[in-house]
Amino acid sequence: MRRTRIAGAVLLAGTVTGLAAGPAQAQEYRYWSFWDGKGGSWAYATEGPATQRPADGAVEGFRFTVGADSAGAGKPRPAADFDAICRDTPAKDGRKRIGIVLDFGTAADAPGGERPPKARTDCAQVPEDSSAGEALAAVARPLRYDTNALLCAIAGYPKAGCAEAVNGSKGGSKDGAKRSASSAAPSGGAAEDRADGGGGSGDGGPSAGLLGGGAAVVALGAAAVWQARRRRG
């Protein structure tokens, strides 16, 4: 009888742990992601465009997407081809040329009532010390930011909203989307970049649910042992 009660308590503890530690579906957000063109392909940027200062011949990409972090973000679909983008823009002393790729995303990713414009490329010719954000501003105005310098719209798209949550996903943290939707505020402008551009979400630590489940195992297991000892006495 005692063994049955102990086994029942341990089984219940395992059930509580399984429920508490179950993976949560990450919250997704609709935002502009930032990419580096490297060797003709795209890599998620490791810093925001306001702090990144690309060299002459670089290609920077911006893609409007829906995702929880860099792993789920859609890459720009046009190629990261500097020669094709800037072939009609001759070099000038004291200035550099940066290829800019703008991918406004798909109709499925668009906010309600809006249609994404066609993807386009531009060659920004800017001073040598310019950031990627300043190169973007040179060819894709109007830009729109929120009060935290988060990039909300490029070339007027979308008309409203800024890294808003997409219905149908749960959990997660908006901080993850903010790090992914790196600010592109030009240095010296009204707002500086406050996002790290890393693209991760959350702090990587154990969830409260998992800790709660572990505590349940300890508590129920201890109760079972205490009951067994008491009955022996």
Side-chain angles (χ1 to χ4, degrees):
M1 185 66 175
R2 289 195 297 271
R3 291 180 180 176
T4 301
R5 287 176 178 173
I6 292 173
V10 173
L11 179 60
L12 177 59
T15 302
V16 172
T17 304
L19 291 175
Q25 182 181 359
Q27 174 68 65
E28 292 185 323
Y29 293 87
R30 182 179 287 113
Y31 66 97
W32 277 101
S33 57
F34 176 44
W35 302 79
D36 291 328
K38 296 181 178 180
S41 60
W42 294 108
Y44 207 88
T46 58
E47 61 180 299
T51 57
Q52 184 161 302
R53 298 188 182 279
D56 180 77
V59 180
E60 306 298 341
F62 297 83
R63 165 74 186 262
F64 193 72
T65 187
V66 170
D69 52 34
S70 60
K75 295 181 180 181
R77 288 167 292 181
D81 187 342
F82 175 80
D83 291 336
I85 296 171
C86 289
R87 62 189 172 193
D88 295 329
T89 304
K92 288 185 180 180
D93 291 339
R95 299 178 72 82
K96 62 184 178 183
R97 295 170 298 165
I98 307 298
I100 300 293
V101 173
L102 303 179
D103 187 336
F104 296 88
T106 66
D109 292 341
E114 295 200 53
R115 289 184 63 183
K118 291 183 179 180
R120 77 183 211 214
T121 62
D122 289 282
C123 187
Q125 192 164 65
V126 291
E128 291 179 338
D129 63 347
S130 296
S131 67
E134 289 169 321
L136 175 67
V139 297
R141 293 185 183 276
L143 306 179
R144 177 168 56 84
Y145 304 92
D146 72 358
T147 56
N148 293 313
L150 183 67
L151 178 62
C152 303
I154 295 177
Y157 182 82
K159 296 178 181 178
C162 194
E164 67 271 19
V166 177
N167 293 333
S169 53
K170 301 178 181 178
S173 167
K174 191 170 182 178
D175 288 342
K178 283 187 176 181
R179 285 195 291 270
S180 299
S182 305
S183 164
S187 58
E192 289 291 334
D193 181 16
R194 298 181 188 178
D196 63 16
S201 64
D203 58 9
S207 68
L210 181 58
L211 293 176
V217 172
V218 174
L220 289 172
V225 172
W226 178 79
Q227 282 186 348
R229 289 180 177 174
R230 182 184 179 190
R231 292 183 185 283
R232 287 197 197 101

